[in-house]
Structures are given as structure tokens and as C-alpha cells.
Amino acid sequence: MESDRKALWLLESRFRGGVSLGELSVVAGISRHHFAHVFARATGQSEMRYMRGRRLSEAARVLANGGADILTVALDFGYGSHEAFTRAFRDQFGVTPESVRAQRHLDNVNPVEAIKPDYAGGTLARNQQRLY
């Protein structure tokens, strides 16, 4: 597995609980600074912003599908309180978790989708550019 695929795999497998920039850079075999730079250049956002968006997007899917109460979802996705989760959710999507849960769909939510590597060449499918 190429280093960019390993880093993306780690990011996707652990976004729910969090993964550090240091861990990602070690897996990628490059410095933290370089990883942060190339990830932002390749995706248009920092790795932490991406992970926050992924975490909240998956939480939104759980809520829209009638998942557990909001506090349980907040805790499951790494937030320490209902209030912190609601604030982050509203900042990300412009709507509250309560409204997504009540409407039972994601029509007015723009979820952050997983970055998929192009397995033919180790590129990021989003922009057809090598991560490293």
C-alpha cells in the first residue's frame, strides 16, 4: 500500500475518534509540516477540517436514519457534550442535529464524503493529483 493510501486509510478508519497530524505524517513517511501542506493543496482544506466534516457527516447520517438520541450520537462521534456537538453541527451544515433527526433526510445538508484513492495510480480521485 502506497504511503498516500495508508494515510487516507488511517484518516478514514479513525476519523470518528480522531487521529493526529503526527500519526498521519508518520504513516505517510513525511514531516508533519509537509503532510499538512500537501493535504491542504490536494483537498482544499486542512486534515483536521476534513476529519471534523467527515465525523459530522456520518453523525448526520445516523440522525437522519433515526439513530440514538442526540447526546449518544454526540458522544459516539467524539464530542463531550450535546452543546458542543450542536454548535459544531450548526457551524458545519447551517442546521441543527434536531432538525436533521426530525426531517429524516439529508436534503439540506452537504455531507463531506470520503476521499477515495484512485487505486490504479495512488492518486486522490477528487482532483487527480498525487497527495505526495
Side-chain angles (χ1 to χ4, degrees), residues 94-114:
V95 296
T96 64
E98 291 85 358
S99 66
V100 169
R101 185 177 166 89
Q103 70 191 14
R104 309 281 270 182
H105 62 75
L106 297 176
D107 292 349
N108 58 340
V109 172
N110 187 17
V112 175
E113 301 299 338

Side-chain angles (χ1 to χ4, degrees), residues 16-96:
R16 201 172 198 177
V19 60
S20 73
L21 178 58
E23 291 172 293
L24 293 168
S25 65
V26 166
V27 167
I30 58 177
S31 73
R32 292 166 45 120
H33 174 76
H34 188 61
F35 182 88
H37 174 74
V38 296
F39 188 90
R41 191 179 75 214
T43 65
Q45 60 188 327
S46 73
E47 72 288 340
M48 295 302 137
R49 178 180 289 267
Y50 170 77
M51 282 193 300
R52 178 179 181 250
R54 288 287 296 129
R55 186 178 307 127
L56 290 168
S57 296
E58 292 305 314
R61 284 185 177 90
V62 169
L63 292 169
N65 289 327
D69 64 273
I70 293 170
L71 178 58
T72 300
V73 173
L75 295 173
D76 286 349
F77 283 89
Y79 288 87
S81 69
H82 184 290
E83 293 79 15
F85 176 69
T86 298
R87 187 172 37 256
F89 198 94
R90 190 179 319 112
D91 289 347
Q92 181 76 31
F93 302 121
V95 296
T96 64

